[in-house]
Amino acid sequence: FDAQTFLESFIAHGTVLQLIDNLGAELSGSKQRTFTVTGPYGSGKSSLALYLSCLLSNDAIVRNRAISTISNSLGSRDRFTKNFICERGWLVVKHLCALNSPAQGIVESVSQAVNLSIQSDQLNDAECLLEIKAALSVASAKYDGVLIIVDELGKALDFLSGAGRDLHFLQSLADLAQEFNNVVVIGFLHQSFAAYAKGRDARTQNEWGKVQGRYKDFSFNPSIEESLYLVSQSFQVEPQLKSHLIQQAAATLDSVL
């Protein structure tokens, strides 16, 4: 992942800045440390995850470049620097879920981030939580904080639902994060937890909904106007053509008026 190249093309539109504002307000004003971001396919959730990883990077050059892309016209940049402590930077753990056990996958990603070698396939869920806690204890003292990004969380939920399993691990992970003041877990998915259990009985769906209650949810669905703006910014127009089009548009308006 080339952060500098990503930041050159990324546009922090209003929906992105609003979500970051809301996240920062939660971190600075409450003890909530686990979240989900829910939005439709193609809405830009994975790009948002990468942007957050840049904003909190322990590479000062990347971090400062990312922060400079936040528009401060409405005070968003000032609120970000106030809500997120970024002196040494955060350890960002990126985990991409697949159709397998989220416990074993997440413990492996966390362990790799702190340079620990682990045989996750030999561990049960409880043992995975113990390993995650040990790794977070070290990392949270070394960095300003630890951000665990769980992308495509829906795939893990699909796996658990199909295997007839419960969400005890995700519930315990939320409880574990609350033990630290500077550990944040954010899962990215397309629908609610309960929706992934639609093939299960009503009691199970209700239980899954209760587990999601441990994760404060942020809706992420950019407006049509924002989408059109992003598309427009992907085109590069030659200066001469741009000038000609502006003049032509002005002339058309003059003829009408």
Side-chain angles (χ1 to χ4, degrees), residues 140-190:
S140 62
K142 183 178 179 181
Y143 299 93
D144 291 323
V146 180
L147 171 63
I148 302 176
I149 293 173
V150 186
D151 203 3
E152 297 289 352
L153 177 58
K155 289 185 178 180
L157 296 176
D158 273 334
F159 169 79
L160 293 173
S161 179
R165 295 173 58 180
D166 57 32
L167 299 187
H168 178 71
F169 170 76
L170 292 177
Q171 177 177 321
S172 298
L173 179 64
D175 293 339
L176 175 59
Q178 301 299 128
E179 295 181 17
F180 298 86
N181 187 50
N182 61 344
V183 172
V184 177
V185 179
I186 306 179
F188 293 80
L189 65 171
H190 304 299

